[in-house]
């Protein structure tokens, strides 16, 4: 047999002879044992080793590789998180050695576990390792292979493996069932706020409802993450890449946490570099989850100053590939340099007092890093205690360039009035991107003096929250100045970080129609500015085109749903997108089969988990009754058990929709199977 010494490239003959002696005595005994240990603990590699005179002799390996000799790791006894030997240039992030107990004749042996990902063994896996260690001890002491004992051990290992697999299945089913119970009411929250957003609302109402809706979507993503991390244990999690608009992604993450700023009155800013492309290909839900975690931490630990979510290009790699940094910078309490590494551990914060004062579990950064690891990235930190922190991560994205198709050619010159320098800087950069000349003032008084001297501005963008003279008072005084000039009064856009009845009353009094809410999005600002010089576009378009192809068709749709809220939501969606549709409902699978026979619907929306007869069985009964025409049956489910989608198709269902159900998703599905153009998408 050939041997390789990873340290010296060749082994001393004495060491090789010693390894051969160990192999003859023990190797065959442990080949099966290390293989079983690797499989049962879900490890990349498991080995058995004997240590002698600072050398480690590998006598069995789960990957059946050649047995080798390694120098003993000098840090092994100092740190129980390391192994007795290490690989050069290893990809293994988890490496740990377990001492075989009770050996005689000064024999030192270890069971060694290695994996490419950081992990902690759960209780069941620890018990399996202990069983293997005890049995290994018996085999070493026996100094020979007792066939009866070996068969008994193999049977015990197989039984333990089956038990562990059953426990995993039960855990997966529990998580999936809890997910179903949470998704069901969440479907109502997301669905009905989506419907309410389509009604006539003022800007404040729309903002609040947007936050409710986006928070519901964020909760939905958290539920998905719980399932993701369950899959992560089995290394099955993958990113779902899609085309995502960068500003929308950042803004939605910001909106989810910004309501927590109402009492603190921090400056919350979005700073997107000019060179950032409009679109990137990424997993939107998971990337948003990371940003929400970072923003939530910043808001929690910052009492005054600012929070900035920034995005910038680090390197243009060509062919649409860019290396991009996302970061959250704050002026909060900061983190002591010696404790910065600790905060990335699960359930850990800088110290116990942090948890008592600010709350939280300390899980957010650990979860975020697990998500980012799938994209080959990790969170990095720059912080100084008492001055603030900067958390950031870098990822290579495929990108797509596209300018916002909004004409601002009528706007030549804009005045920005804001006491906060970073706000002015970000707004100025957005406007200069459209070749608009910009001037700045850091107070209402300076703005009044400038207007009296040079009133030739097309637009004034005014901050509401300013010391001494706020935005409303400044605008009121400006209105008295403009009649005395020969220039047309500029359009005024007021922006603020919050809203209240007094502000709304003042805007009504001064006829301020153009409002923006911080943090200002570039696309949102361009849209407001593009409508200023066209009075027809100043009013919201409240007229819907009801003459659609969908209204010319009669279609009969059966909804089988046992939850009253979800049933109402689905019916409301259908009435909006198919006003002429005849909608029939059933409260369970048995009633769905009965109404199918009576009504002969053109399409069925079938919930899966229903009493009396579930959706799977109801579908099988309906398919058995059909003669010539197979009508589309669409599964509606809040469940997420592995293989559920496949079970639906095996039962004869035509397609599959996951709750929370969105109107556009439902509309697209019905169009797919009926060929009817939908209304109200």
């Amino acid at each position: 047999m050939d041997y390789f010494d990873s340290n010296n490239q060749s082994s001393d003959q004495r060491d090789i002879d010693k390894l051969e002696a160990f192999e003859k005595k023990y190797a065959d005994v442990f080949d099966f044992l290390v293989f079983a240990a690797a499989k049962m603990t879900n490890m990349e590699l498991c080995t058995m080793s004997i240590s002698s005179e600072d050398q480690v002799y590998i006598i069995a390996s789960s990957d059946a590789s050649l047995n080798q000799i390694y120098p003993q790791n000098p840090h092994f006894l100092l740190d129980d998180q390391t192994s007795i030997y290490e690989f050069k240039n290893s990809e293994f992030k988890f490496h740990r050695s377990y001492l075989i107990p009770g050996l005689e004749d000064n024999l030192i042996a270890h069971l060694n576990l290695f994996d490419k990902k950081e992990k902690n063994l759960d209780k069941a896996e620890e018990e399996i390792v202990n069983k293997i260690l005890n049995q290994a001890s018996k085999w070493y002491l026996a100094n020979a292979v007792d066939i009866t004992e070996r068969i008994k051990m193999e049977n015990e290992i197989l039984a333990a493996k089956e038990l562990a697999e059953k426990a995993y299945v039960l855990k997966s089913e529990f998580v999936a069932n809890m997910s179903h119970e949470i998704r069901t009411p969440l479907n109502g929250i997301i669905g009905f706020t989506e419907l309410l957003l389509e009604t006539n609302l003022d800007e404040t109402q729309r903002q609040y409802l947007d936050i409710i809706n986006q928070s519901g979507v964020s909760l939905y993503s958290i539920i998905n993450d719980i399932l993701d991390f369950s899959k992560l244990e089995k290394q099955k999690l993958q990113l779902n890449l899609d085309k995502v608009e960068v500003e929308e992604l950042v803004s939605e993450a910001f909106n989810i946490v910004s309501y927590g700023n109402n009492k603190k009155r921090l400056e919350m800013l979005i700073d997107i570099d000019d060179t950032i492309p409009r679109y990137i290909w990424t997993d939107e839900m998971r990337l948003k989850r990371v940003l929400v975690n970072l923003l939530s931490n910043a808001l929690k630990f910052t009492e005054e100053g600012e929070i900035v979510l920034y995005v910038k290009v680090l390197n243009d790699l060509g062919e649409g590939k860019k290396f991009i940094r996302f970061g959250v910078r704050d002026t909060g309490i900061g983190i002591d340099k010696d404790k910065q590494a600790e905060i990335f551990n699960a359930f850990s914060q800088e110290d116990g007092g942090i948890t008592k004062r600010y709350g939280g579990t300390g899980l957010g950064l650990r979860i975020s890093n697990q998500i980012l690891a799938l994209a080959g990235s990790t969170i990095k930190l720059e912080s100084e205690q008492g001055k603030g922190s900067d958390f950031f991560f870098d990822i290579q994205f495929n990108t797509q360039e596209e300018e916002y198709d909004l004409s601002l050619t009528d706007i030549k010159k804009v005045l920005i009035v804001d006491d906060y320098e970073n706000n002015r800087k970000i707004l100025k950069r957005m406007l200069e991107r459209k070749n608009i000349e910009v001037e700045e003032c850091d107070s209402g008084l300076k703005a009044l003096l400038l207007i009296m001297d040079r009133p030739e501005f097309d637009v004034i963008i005014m901050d509401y929250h300013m010391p001494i003279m706020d935005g409303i008072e400044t605008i009121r005084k400006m209105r008295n100045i403009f009649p005395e000039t020969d220039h047309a009064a500029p359009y005024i856009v007021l922006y603020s970080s919050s809203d209240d009845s007094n502000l709304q009353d003042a805007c009504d009094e001064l006829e301020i129609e153009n409002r923006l809410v911080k943090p200002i999005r570039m696309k949102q600002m361009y849209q407001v500015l593009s409508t200023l010089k066209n009075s027809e576009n100043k009013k919201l378009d409240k007229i819907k085109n009801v003459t659609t192809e969908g209204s010319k068709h009669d279609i009969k749709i059966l909804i089988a749903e046992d939850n009253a809220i979800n049933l109402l939501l689905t019916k409301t969606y259908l009435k909006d997108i198919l006003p002429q549709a005849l909608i029939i409902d059933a409260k369970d699978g048995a009633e769905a089969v009965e109404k199918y026979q009576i009504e002969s619907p053109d399409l069925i929306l079938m919930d899966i988990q229903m009493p009396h007869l579930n959706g799977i069985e109801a579908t099988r009964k309906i398919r058995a009754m059909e003669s010539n025409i197979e009508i589309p049956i669409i599964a509606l489910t809040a469940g997420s058990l592995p293989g559920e989608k496949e079970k639906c198709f095996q039962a004869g269902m035509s397609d599959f929709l996951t709750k929370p159900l969105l109107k556009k998703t439902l509309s697209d599905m019905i169009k797919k199977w009926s060929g009817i153009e939908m209304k109200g998408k």
Side-chain angles (χ1 to χ4, degrees):
M1 182 181 289
D2 295 326
Y3 300 98
F4 173 72
D5 185 317
S6 65
N7 187 40
N8 300 319
Q9 303 298 317
S10 63
S11 294
D12 183 271
Q13 187 60 44
R14 179 171 168 273
D15 290 332
I16 292 175
D17 292 343
K18 189 182 288 189
L19 177 58
E20 286 180 340
F22 286 143
E23 284 182 323
K24 286 177 183 177
K25 197 169 186 179
Y26 301 113
D28 290 341
V29 180
F30 296 111
D31 284 340
F32 174 77
L33 197 65
V34 294
F35 178 79
K39 291 296 180 185
M40 292 165 62
T41 57
N42 201 28
M43 291 288 168
E44 191 81 18
L45 176 68
C46 177
T47 68
M48 189 74 71
S49 66
I50 295 177
S51 303
S52 176
E53 299 177 352
D54 296 327
Q55 296 284 75
V56 180
Y57 300 85
I58 310 304
I59 61 170
S61 179
S62 62
D63 63 356
S65 60
L66 292 177
N67 294 332
Q68 300 177 15
I69 305 168
Y70 291 87
Q72 184 168 318
N73 178 8
H75 304 292
F76 173 62
L77 294 177
L78 303 176
D79 184 357
D80 63 359
Q81 301 299 310
T82 59
S83 55
I84 194 167
Y85 71 97
E86 292 182 324
F87 296 97
K88 263 192 176 181
N89 304 320
S90 172
E91 292 183 290
F92 295 127
K93 294 182 179 178
F94 176 93
H95 40 94
R96 195 167 300 172
S97 295
Y98 296 83
L99 181 68
I100 308 295
L103 303 188
E104 297 177 350
D105 299 326
N106 297 319
L107 185 65
I108 300 173
H110 290 87
L111 178 73
N112 311 294
L113 302 179
F114 300 88
D115 201 81
K116 292 179 180 178
K117 295 182 179 178
E118 289 282 1
K119 60 172 66 179
N120 289 310
L121 298 185
D122 60 28
K123 188 175 180 181
E125 290 168 334
E126 290 281 5
E127 289 177 357
I128 290 169
V129 169
N130 287 331
K131 284 186 178 181
I132 293 170
L133 292 175
N134 291 331
Q135 189 61 40
S137 176
K138 292 179 185 178
W139 285 357
Y140 273 112
L141 292 172
N143 206 19
V145 182
D146 185 304
I147 298 301
T148 304
E149 186 69 15
R150 180 169 179 173
I151 291 172
K152 181 182 176 184
M153 176 61 182
E154 289 177 1
N155 290 335
E156 287 178 357
I157 290 175
L158 290 173
K161 180 175 180 290
E162 289 177 5
L163 186 63
E165 288 176 346
K166 286 179 181 177
Y168 178 77
V169 170
L170 287 172
K171 183 183 74 172
S172 297
E173 288 179 353
F174 172 76
V175 172
N177 288 332
M178 286 304 298
S179 166
H180 176 272
E181 294 303 318
I182 297 170
R183 286 181 196 230
T184 298
L186 194 59
N187 187 50
I189 294 169
I190 295 175
F192 281 108
T193 52
E194 183 188 16
L195 288 171
L196 195 53
L197 282 166
E198 295 180 1
T199 62
N200 295 329
L201 304 166
D202 63 36
E203 286 303 312
T204 303
Q205 292 169 329
R206 186 169 299 279
Q207 180 197 7
Y208 292 167
L209 275 171
D210 263 326
I211 290 170
I212 294 171
N213 185 264
Q214 290 165 17
S215 295
V217 172
S218 180
L219 179 57
Y220 173 62
S221 75
I222 291 170
I223 295 166
N224 286 337
D225 282 337
I226 293 171
L227 297 173
D228 286 346
F229 290 117
S230 178
K231 294 175 187 175
L232 199 61
E233 293 176 348
K234 292 293 181 182
Q235 301 176 356
K236 293 180 180 178
L237 183 63
Q238 292 182 339
L239 294 177
N240 301 310
L241 302 184
D242 204 354
K243 183 180 175 183
V244 177
E245 188 171 344
V246 176
E247 190 179 18
E248 284 298 309
L249 170 74
V250 169
S251 300
E252 287 175 10
F254 220 111
N255 284 344
I256 289 169
V257 301
S258 62
Y259 66 89
N261 185 39
N262 288 343
K263 293 182 180 178
K264 291 188 175 183
R265 301 291 189 189
L266 301 169
E267 287 292 337
M268 300 187 71
L269 312 174
I270 293 176
D271 189 2
I272 300 177
D273 198 322
D274 293 346
T275 57
I276 287 292
R278 185 170 180 182
Y279 297 104
I280 58 175
W281 290 85
T282 187
D283 189 317
E284 181 178 12
M285 294 293 281
R286 294 193 178 101
L287 182 54
K288 190 191 299 182
R289 174 77 190 282
V290 174
L291 295 176
V292 167
N293 280 341
L294 295 182
L295 285 166
S296 297
N297 282 345
L299 187 59
K300 187 190 301 181
F301 299 119
T302 305
E303 297 299 330
E304 59 183 18
E306 67 178 21
I307 296 172
V308 182
L309 197 167
Y310 63 90
V311 191
K312 62 182 179 182
V313 174
L314 298 179
N315 192 9
D316 189 338
L317 305 174
E319 299 182 347
K321 298 182 185 297
K322 286 183 169 63
F323 206 52
I324 296 176
R325 173 169 294 177
F326 286 81
V328 175
R329 184 175 62 248
D330 64 60
T331 55
I333 61 175
I335 302 165
D336 186 87
K337 199 165 188 178
D338 296 335
K339 297 183 178 179
Q340 289 180 10
E342 295 177 16
I343 65 170
F344 292 97
N345 296 326
F347 304 105
S348 176
Q349 293 183 335
E350 189 185 351
D351 59 55
I354 295 290
T355 303
K356 290 178 182 178
R357 181 177 177 187
Y358 296 100
T361 64
L363 270 175
L365 291 175
R366 178 64 177 250
I367 291 172
S368 297
N369 260 337
Q370 285 184 281
I371 294 171
L372 291 173
L374 299 171
S377 184
T378 186
I379 295 174
K380 297 177 183 177
L381 168 63
E382 293 177 359
S383 182
E384 186 175 347
Q385 197 162 25
K387 293 189 176 180
S389 303
D390 184 2
F391 289 87
F392 57 90
F393 56 90
D394 308 328
I395 301 179
Q396 179 181 313
F397 294 98
N398 290 323
T399 68
Q400 183 175 327
E401 301 282 358
E402 187 178 322
E403 271 292 330
Y404 296 108
D405 186 21
L406 293 168
S407 175
L408 301 179
T409 53
D410 290 333
I411 298 174
K412 308 294 184 185
K413 194 171 183 179
V414 172
L415 172 63
I416 300 172
V417 186
D418 193 322
D419 63 307
Y420 205 74
E421 182 181 3
N422 276 352
N423 269 338
R424 299 197 306 271
K425 182 171 67 175
I426 293 169
L427 287 171
K428 183 178 181 181
R429 194 168 66 233
M430 290 180 183
L431 293 167
E432 287 179 341
R433 187 170 177 172
K434 289 292 186 179
N435 299 315
I436 296 172
E437 183 182 348
V438 177
E439 289 202 33
E440 306 172 45
C441 288
D442 61 6
S443 70
L445 180 59
K446 289 182 181 179
L448 290 173
L449 294 172
L450 180 62
I451 287 293
M452 292 173 68
D453 184 42
R454 288 184 286 137
E456 65 280 3
F457 293 98
D458 298 302
V459 179
I460 298 173
I461 300 177
M462 180 78 65
D463 183 28
Y464 170 56
H465 299 286
M466 292 189 293
I468 305 175
M469 186 186 298
D470 65 23
I472 290 294
E473 187 60 29
T474 305
I475 293 169
R476 185 176 281 113
K477 292 184 181 301
M478 280 185 177
R479 290 281 163 87
N480 296 327
I481 293 173
F482 291 128
E484 300 174 8
T485 68
D486 296 329
H487 295 273
Y491 292 93
I492 294 177
V493 178
L494 180 72
Y495 69 101
S496 62
S497 56
S498 62
D499 209 344
D500 55 50
S501 57
N502 292 333
L503 178 57
Q504 184 61 56
D505 292 342
C507 288
D508 293 341
E509 175 203 339
L510 296 171
E511 297 181 343
I512 301 170
E513 298 180 6
N514 305 297
R515 301 267 301 282
L516 289 169
V517 179
K518 295 180 184 177
I520 295 179
R521 313 178 198 179
M522 184 164 59
K523 179 180 177 182
Q524 181 187 35
M525 186 175 70
Y526 289 166
Q527 287 173 335
V528 169
L529 294 180
S530 70
T531 65
L532 289 179
K533 292 213 169 186
N534 186 342
S535 58
E536 291 181 3
N537 290 334
K538 275 190 171 184
K539 297 180 181 179
L540 293 173
D541 181 10
K542 299 178 183 177
I543 302 173
K544 290 186 177 179
N545 181 10
V546 295
T547 309
T548 66
E549 208 161 313
S551 64
K552 298 176 184 177
H553 293 75
D554 286 329
I555 182 172
K556 194 182 291 186
I557 298 176
L558 170 62
I559 307 170
E561 171 66 75
D562 64 310
N563 183 278
I565 294 174
N566 287 337
L567 177 62
L568 176 60
L569 176 64
T570 308
K571 289 173 74 172
T572 306
Y573 279 164
L574 289 174
K575 287 176 181 177
D576 194 25
I577 61 180
L578 283 171
Q580 301 303 315
L582 176 61
I583 300 170
I584 309 151
D585 60 75
K587 305 298 188 299
D588 56 49
E591 190 177 345
V593 174
E594 181 184 337
K595 291 200 172 179
Y596 162 76
Q597 293 175 290
I598 298 170
E599 301 289 350
S600 299
D602 301 301
L603 185 144
I604 300 174
L605 299 173
M606 182 79 73
D607 186 32
I608 300 302
Q609 296 192 19
M610 294 185 291
H612 307 306
L613 192 68
N614 65 36
I616 298 287
E617 293 303 320
T619 299
R620 289 197 178 106
K621 287 182 177 292
I622 290 170
R623 290 297 186 222
M625 295 174 185
E626 290 174 330
S627 52
N628 299 320
I629 300 174
E630 184 177 280
I631 68 165
I633 302 178
I634 314 299
L636 293 177
T637 178
S640 51
L641 282 169
E644 186 168 34
K645 190 172 184 178
E646 289 72 18
K647 287 179 184 176
C648 290
F649 289 139
Q650 288 170 6
M653 291 186 168
S654 313
D655 223 319
F656 188 91
L657 283 173
T658 303
K659 299 173 184 175
L661 185 64
L662 301 178
K663 186 170 72 171
K664 186 180 186 305
T665 309
L666 178 62
S667 177
D668 290 342
M669 184 64 73
I670 293 176
K671 179 182 176 182
K672 174 182 175 181
W673 287 99
S674 70
I676 300 174
E677 289 295 329
M678 300 296 117
K679 169 186 172 291
K681 287 174 68 176

